[in-house]
Amino acid sequence: MIASVRAAWFADRRRPAVWTITATWTILAIAFGIGIPYLVHLALAGDPEQADAAESLLAAVLPGQLVTTGIGLFPLFGGAIVVILGALVVGNEYRWGTLNLIFTQRPRRGQVLAGHAVVLAGLTLLIAVLTFGALALVTGVLGVVEGRAAGWPPAAELAGAVVAAWLICTAHASVGWFLAIAFRSTATAIAVGLVWTLVLENAISGLALVLSPLKVVQQILLAPSSGALAGALGARSQFDGGTPGVVESSGALLPALVLLGYTLLMFGLGSWLAARRDVS
Protein backbone atom coordinates (compact mmCIF):
# COMPACT_ATOMS: atom_id res chain seq x y z
CA MET A 1 0.00 0.00 0.00
CA ILE A 2 2.78 2.43 0.90
CA ALA A 3 4.55 1.63 -2.35
CA SER A 4 1.35 2.36 -4.29
CA VAL A 5 0.96 5.72 -2.55
CA ARG A 6 4.56 6.61 -3.32
CA ALA A 7 4.13 5.62 -6.96
CA ALA A 8 0.92 7.67 -7.30
CA TRP A 9 2.56 10.68 -5.64
CA PHE A 10 5.61 10.31 -7.89
CA ALA A 11 3.34 10.49 -10.94
CA ASP A 12 0.95 13.21 -9.74
CA ARG A 13 3.55 15.65 -8.49
CA ARG A 14 5.11 15.66 -11.96
CA ARG A 15 1.86 16.48 -13.73
CA PRO A 16 1.88 20.19 -14.70
CA ALA A 17 -1.94 20.18 -14.69
CA VAL A 18 -2.03 19.40 -10.96
CA TRP A 19 -0.02 22.46 -10.01
CA THR A 20 -1.70 24.62 -12.66
CA ILE A 21 -5.10 23.82 -11.15
CA THR A 22 -3.81 24.43 -7.62
CA ALA A 23 -2.29 27.80 -8.54
CA THR A 24 -5.35 28.81 -10.58
CA TRP A 25 -7.73 28.08 -7.74
CA THR A 26 -5.58 29.92 -5.20
CA ILE A 27 -5.52 33.01 -7.43
CA LEU A 28 -9.27 32.80 -8.06
CA ALA A 29 -9.96 32.43 -4.33
CA ILE A 30 -8.00 35.60 -3.60
CA ALA A 31 -9.66 37.45 -6.48
CA PHE A 32 -13.27 36.46 -5.69
CA GLY A 33 -12.96 36.28 -1.92
CA ILE A 34 -10.82 39.36 -1.27
CA GLY A 35 -9.96 41.33 -4.41
CA ILE A 36 -13.39 42.06 -5.87
CA PRO A 37 -15.10 42.90 -2.53
CA TYR A 38 -12.22 45.22 -1.62
CA LEU A 39 -12.33 47.01 -4.99
CA VAL A 40 -16.07 47.52 -4.58
CA HIS A 41 -15.42 48.85 -1.07
CA LEU A 42 -12.97 51.39 -2.49
CA ALA A 43 -15.50 52.43 -5.11
CA LEU A 44 -18.21 53.00 -2.48
CA ALA A 45 -16.01 54.49 0.22
CA GLY A 46 -16.27 58.03 -1.17
CA ASP A 47 -20.08 58.03 -1.18
CA PRO A 48 -21.60 58.97 2.22
CA GLU A 49 -24.86 57.22 1.30
CA GLN A 50 -22.97 53.95 0.77
CA ALA A 51 -20.88 54.16 3.93
CA ASP A 52 -22.56 51.17 5.60
CA ALA A 53 -22.19 48.97 2.52
CA ALA A 54 -18.54 49.99 2.13
CA GLU A 55 -17.82 49.19 5.77
CA SER A 56 -19.55 45.80 5.48
CA LEU A 57 -17.44 44.92 2.44
CA LEU A 58 -14.27 45.96 4.22
CA ALA A 59 -15.11 43.88 7.28
CA ALA A 60 -15.57 40.82 5.06
CA VAL A 61 -11.99 41.01 3.77
CA LEU A 62 -10.29 41.52 7.14
CA PRO A 63 -8.77 38.68 9.23
CA GLY A 64 -11.77 38.49 11.56
CA GLN A 65 -13.94 37.08 8.75
CA LEU A 66 -11.32 34.70 7.39
CA VAL A 67 -13.32 31.57 8.25
CA THR A 68 -16.63 32.68 6.76
CA THR A 69 -15.05 34.31 3.70
CA GLY A 70 -12.82 31.34 2.99
CA ILE A 71 -15.27 28.47 3.47
CA GLY A 72 -17.92 30.28 1.40
CA LEU A 73 -15.74 30.00 -1.70
CA PHE A 74 -15.60 26.21 -1.77
CA PRO A 75 -19.15 24.90 -2.38
CA LEU A 76 -19.52 26.32 -5.89
CA PHE A 77 -16.19 27.63 -7.17
CA GLY A 78 -13.76 25.30 -5.41
CA GLY A 79 -15.92 22.24 -6.00
CA ALA A 80 -15.92 22.75 -9.76
CA ILE A 81 -12.14 23.16 -9.82
CA VAL A 82 -11.41 19.96 -7.92
CA VAL A 83 -13.83 17.93 -10.04
CA ILE A 84 -11.40 18.73 -12.85
CA LEU A 85 -8.45 17.76 -10.67
CA GLY A 86 -9.99 14.40 -9.75
CA ALA A 87 -10.67 13.62 -13.40
CA LEU A 88 -7.18 14.58 -14.50
CA VAL A 89 -5.14 12.55 -12.04
CA VAL A 90 -6.69 9.22 -13.03
CA GLY A 91 -7.96 10.09 -16.51
CA ASN A 92 -4.43 10.65 -17.73
CA GLU A 93 -3.60 7.07 -16.76
CA TYR A 94 -6.16 5.92 -19.33
CA ARG A 95 -4.98 8.45 -21.88
CA TRP A 96 -1.44 7.05 -21.80
CA GLY A 97 -2.50 3.45 -21.21
CA THR A 98 -0.43 3.17 -18.04
CA LEU A 99 -3.13 1.88 -15.69
CA ASN A 100 -3.58 -1.45 -17.42
CA LEU A 101 0.19 -1.78 -17.65
CA ILE A 102 0.49 -1.23 -13.89
CA PHE A 103 -2.21 -3.84 -13.31
CA THR A 104 0.05 -6.46 -14.88
CA GLN A 105 2.77 -5.76 -12.34
CA ARG A 106 3.10 -7.03 -8.81
CA PRO A 107 0.78 -4.66 -6.82
CA ARG A 108 -2.84 -5.71 -6.54
CA ARG A 109 -5.34 -3.56 -8.37
CA GLY A 110 -7.07 -2.48 -5.18
CA GLN A 111 -3.77 -1.26 -3.77
CA VAL A 112 -2.94 0.70 -6.92
CA LEU A 113 -6.29 2.47 -6.92
CA ALA A 114 -6.20 3.04 -3.17
CA GLY A 115 -2.81 4.69 -3.62
CA HIS A 116 -4.26 7.07 -6.20
CA ALA A 117 -7.21 7.85 -3.92
CA VAL A 118 -4.95 8.60 -0.94
CA VAL A 119 -2.75 10.92 -3.01
CA LEU A 120 -5.81 12.71 -4.39
CA ALA A 121 -7.08 13.25 -0.83
CA GLY A 122 -3.64 14.62 0.05
CA LEU A 123 -3.80 17.04 -2.89
CA THR A 124 -7.21 18.33 -1.82
CA LEU A 125 -5.87 18.86 1.70
CA LEU A 126 -2.99 20.82 0.22
CA ILE A 127 -5.45 22.96 -1.75
CA ALA A 128 -7.51 23.68 1.38
CA VAL A 129 -4.45 24.64 3.43
CA LEU A 130 -2.94 26.78 0.65
CA THR A 131 -6.24 28.58 0.10
CA PHE A 132 -6.67 29.58 3.72
CA GLY A 133 -2.98 30.39 4.00
CA ALA A 134 -3.13 32.72 0.99
CA LEU A 135 -6.34 34.35 2.23
CA ALA A 136 -4.82 34.83 5.69
CA LEU A 137 -1.79 36.54 4.18
CA VAL A 138 -3.83 38.90 2.01
CA THR A 139 -6.36 39.76 4.72
CA GLY A 140 -3.51 40.41 7.15
CA VAL A 141 -1.90 42.83 4.70
CA LEU A 142 -5.23 44.60 4.15
CA GLY A 143 -5.70 44.90 7.91
CA VAL A 144 -2.36 46.68 8.17
CA VAL A 145 -3.07 48.90 5.16
CA GLU A 146 -6.48 49.92 6.53
CA GLY A 147 -5.14 50.36 10.05
CA ARG A 148 -7.57 47.86 11.56
CA ALA A 149 -6.96 45.45 14.41
CA ALA A 150 -6.31 41.94 13.12
CA GLY A 151 -8.87 40.10 15.26
CA TRP A 152 -7.91 36.68 13.95
CA PRO A 153 -10.47 33.89 14.40
CA PRO A 154 -9.77 31.23 17.05
CA ALA A 155 -7.41 28.49 15.92
CA ALA A 156 -10.09 25.83 16.47
CA GLU A 157 -12.53 27.61 14.14
CA LEU A 158 -9.87 28.04 11.50
CA ALA A 159 -8.87 24.38 11.72
CA GLY A 160 -12.52 23.37 11.46
CA ALA A 161 -12.93 25.48 8.33
CA VAL A 162 -9.85 23.89 6.76
CA VAL A 163 -11.20 20.40 7.52
CA ALA A 164 -14.61 21.34 6.09
CA ALA A 165 -12.97 22.73 2.94
CA TRP A 166 -10.93 19.54 2.63
CA LEU A 167 -14.09 17.43 2.91
CA ILE A 168 -15.88 19.52 0.27
CA CYS A 169 -12.89 19.31 -2.08
CA THR A 170 -12.35 15.58 -1.56
CA ALA A 171 -16.01 14.75 -2.19
CA HIS A 172 -16.00 16.72 -5.45
CA ALA A 173 -12.63 15.33 -6.51
CA SER A 174 -13.85 11.78 -5.89
CA VAL A 175 -16.71 12.41 -8.33
CA GLY A 176 -14.27 13.45 -11.06
CA TRP A 177 -12.06 10.47 -10.16
CA PHE A 178 -14.97 8.01 -10.50
CA LEU A 179 -16.23 9.53 -13.75
CA ALA A 180 -12.75 9.34 -15.31
CA ILE A 181 -12.68 5.63 -14.52
CA ALA A 182 -16.26 5.08 -15.67
CA PHE A 183 -15.74 6.78 -19.04
CA ARG A 184 -12.00 6.09 -19.35
CA SER A 185 -11.73 9.66 -20.58
CA THR A 186 -10.59 12.88 -18.93
CA ALA A 187 -12.59 15.23 -21.16
CA THR A 188 -15.86 13.32 -20.80
CA ALA A 189 -15.42 13.02 -17.05
CA ILE A 190 -14.84 16.77 -16.69
CA ALA A 191 -17.85 17.61 -18.86
CA VAL A 192 -20.21 15.24 -17.05
CA GLY A 193 -18.85 16.24 -13.63
CA LEU A 194 -19.36 19.95 -14.24
CA VAL A 195 -22.85 19.43 -15.66
CA TRP A 196 -23.69 17.25 -12.65
CA THR A 197 -22.43 19.63 -9.96
CA LEU A 198 -23.10 23.02 -11.56
CA VAL A 199 -26.22 22.45 -13.64
CA LEU A 200 -28.23 19.41 -12.58
CA GLU A 201 -27.86 19.77 -8.82
CA ASN A 202 -28.45 23.54 -8.89
CA ALA A 203 -31.56 22.98 -11.02
CA ILE A 204 -32.92 20.51 -8.47
CA SER A 205 -32.10 22.96 -5.66
CA GLY A 206 -34.01 25.69 -7.49
CA LEU A 207 -37.03 23.45 -8.01
CA ALA A 208 -36.92 22.48 -4.34
CA LEU A 209 -37.89 26.06 -3.49
CA VAL A 210 -41.31 25.49 -5.05
CA LEU A 211 -41.64 21.69 -4.88
CA SER A 212 -41.31 20.64 -1.25
CA PRO A 213 -40.81 16.88 -1.97
CA LEU A 214 -37.50 17.77 -3.65
CA LYS A 215 -36.16 19.23 -0.41
CA VAL A 216 -35.46 15.69 0.80
CA VAL A 217 -33.53 14.97 -2.40
CA GLN A 218 -31.68 18.26 -2.05
CA GLN A 219 -30.26 17.21 1.32
CA ILE A 220 -28.40 14.27 -0.23
CA LEU A 221 -26.94 16.13 -3.21
CA LEU A 222 -23.27 17.04 -3.38
CA ALA A 223 -23.39 20.79 -4.08
CA PRO A 224 -26.22 21.65 -1.65
CA SER A 225 -24.54 19.62 1.09
CA SER A 226 -21.32 21.53 0.48
CA GLY A 227 -23.22 24.81 0.69
CA ALA A 228 -25.00 23.70 3.86
CA LEU A 229 -21.69 22.80 5.50
CA ALA A 230 -20.32 26.24 4.65
CA GLY A 231 -23.50 27.84 5.96
CA ALA A 232 -23.23 25.91 9.22
CA LEU A 233 -19.76 27.42 9.71
CA GLY A 234 -21.09 30.96 9.36
CA ALA A 235 -20.86 31.76 5.65
CA ARG A 236 -23.74 33.97 4.53
CA SER A 237 -26.39 32.29 2.39
CA GLN A 238 -26.63 33.17 -1.29
CA PHE A 239 -30.26 34.14 -0.65
CA ASP A 240 -29.04 36.68 1.92
CA GLY A 241 -26.51 38.36 -0.33
CA GLY A 242 -23.74 35.86 0.37
CA THR A 243 -21.53 33.75 -1.86
CA PRO A 244 -23.30 31.69 -4.57
CA GLY A 245 -23.69 28.06 -3.54
CA VAL A 246 -23.94 28.71 0.20
CA VAL A 247 -27.27 27.83 1.86
CA GLU A 248 -28.59 28.11 5.36
CA SER A 249 -28.08 25.09 7.59
CA SER A 250 -29.11 24.15 11.12
CA GLY A 251 -26.03 22.03 11.67
CA ALA A 252 -22.85 20.67 10.14
CA LEU A 253 -23.30 16.98 10.96
CA LEU A 254 -25.71 15.93 8.20
CA PRO A 255 -23.95 17.72 5.30
CA ALA A 256 -20.58 16.45 6.56
CA LEU A 257 -21.89 12.88 6.62
CA VAL A 258 -23.33 13.25 3.11
CA LEU A 259 -19.99 14.53 1.79
CA LEU A 260 -18.12 11.74 3.54
CA GLY A 261 -20.56 9.26 2.03
CA TYR A 262 -19.92 10.64 -1.46
CA THR A 263 -16.18 10.34 -0.92
CA LEU A 264 -16.30 6.72 0.21
CA LEU A 265 -18.89 5.73 -2.40
CA MET A 266 -17.10 7.32 -5.37
CA PHE A 267 -13.67 5.98 -4.41
CA GLY A 268 -15.17 2.56 -3.68
CA LEU A 269 -17.17 2.32 -6.91
CA GLY A 270 -14.28 3.62 -9.00
CA SER A 271 -11.86 1.10 -7.51
CA TRP A 272 -14.33 -1.76 -7.93
CA LEU A 273 -15.10 -0.83 -11.54
CA ALA A 274 -11.47 -0.49 -12.57
CA ALA A 275 -10.47 -3.72 -10.84
CA ARG A 276 -13.29 -5.72 -12.45
CA ARG A 277 -13.40 -4.20 -15.91
CA ASP A 278 -9.93 -2.97 -16.87
CA VAL A 279 -8.28 -6.27 -17.66
CA SER A 280 -5.08 -6.26 -19.68
Side-chain angles (χ1 to χ4, degrees):
M1 176 64 184
I2 295 177
S4 297
V5 172
R6 288 177 177 174
W9 171 239
F10 179 85
D12 288 341
R13 75 172 184 260
R14 283 168 169 74
R15 299 185 197 276
V18 169
W19 305 114
T20 300
I21 290 174
T22 301
T24 300
W25 164 242
T26 304
I27 293 170
L28 289 176
I30 295 173
F32 285 106
I34 306 297
I36 294 176
Y38 185 66
L39 290 176
V40 176
H41 154 74
L42 293 177
L44 298 179
D47 187 350
E49 297 182 357
Q50 301 291 337
D52 291 340
E55 184 63 24
S56 176
L57 287 168
L58 178 60
V61 298
L62 293 177
Q65 297 297 316
L66 176 60
V67 168
T68 55
T69 299
I71 194 62
L73 297 169
F74 283 91
L76 182 64
F77 304 117
I81 292 291
V82 293
V83 165
I84 299 174
L85 176 65
L88 281 171
V89 295
V90 71
N92 283 335
E93 302 289 352
Y94 285 101
R95 179 184 177 188
W96 297 106
T98 56
L99 196 57
N100 283 347
L101 177 62
I102 294 172
F103 283 165
T104 65
Q105 307 303 312
R106 183 176 179 181
R108 293 187 176 182
R109 298 180 179 197
Q111 292 179 350
V112 172
L113 295 165
H116 280 284
V118 168
V119 170
L120 181 58
L123 290 173
T124 56
L125 177 60
L126 177 63
I127 288 174
V129 171
L130 285 177
T131 301
F132 276 95
L135 292 175
L137 177 62
V138 176
T139 56
V141 171
L142 286 180
V144 173
V145 170
E146 294 291 334
R148 302 297 181 93
W152 294 98
E157 291 185 11
L158 184 56
V162 172
V163 172
W166 178 34
L167 185 56
I168 292 171
C169 287
T170 306
H172 280 81
S174 69
V175 169
W177 192 83
F178 166 73
L179 292 173
I181 293 175
F183 293 107
R184 290 190 272 202
S185 168
T186 302
T188 305
I190 291 173
V192 173
L194 293 180
V195 169
W196 175 357
T197 57
L198 296 180
V199 180
L200 179 60
E201 291 197 343
N202 283 321
I204 294 175
S205 297
L207 290 173
L209 297 175
V210 294
L211 299 175
S212 55
L214 289 179
K215 291 183 178 179
V216 178
V217 178
Q218 183 184 17
Q219 292 181 341
I220 60 173
L221 296 178
L222 180 60
S225 295
S226 301
L229 182 57
L233 294 181
R236 193 192 309 178
S237 169
Q238 63 179 352
F239 302 109
D240 191 30
T243 308
V246 178
V247 297
E248 293 183 358
S249 175
S250 58
L253 180 59
L254 178 59
L257 289 176
V258 171
L259 293 173
L260 180 60
Y262 267 96
T263 301
L264 297 177
L265 181 63
M266 294 295 103
F267 281 146
L269 284 178
S271 298
W272 174 84
L273 182 61
R276 294 296 183 272
R277 181 198 60 190
D278 299 325
V279 180
S280 299

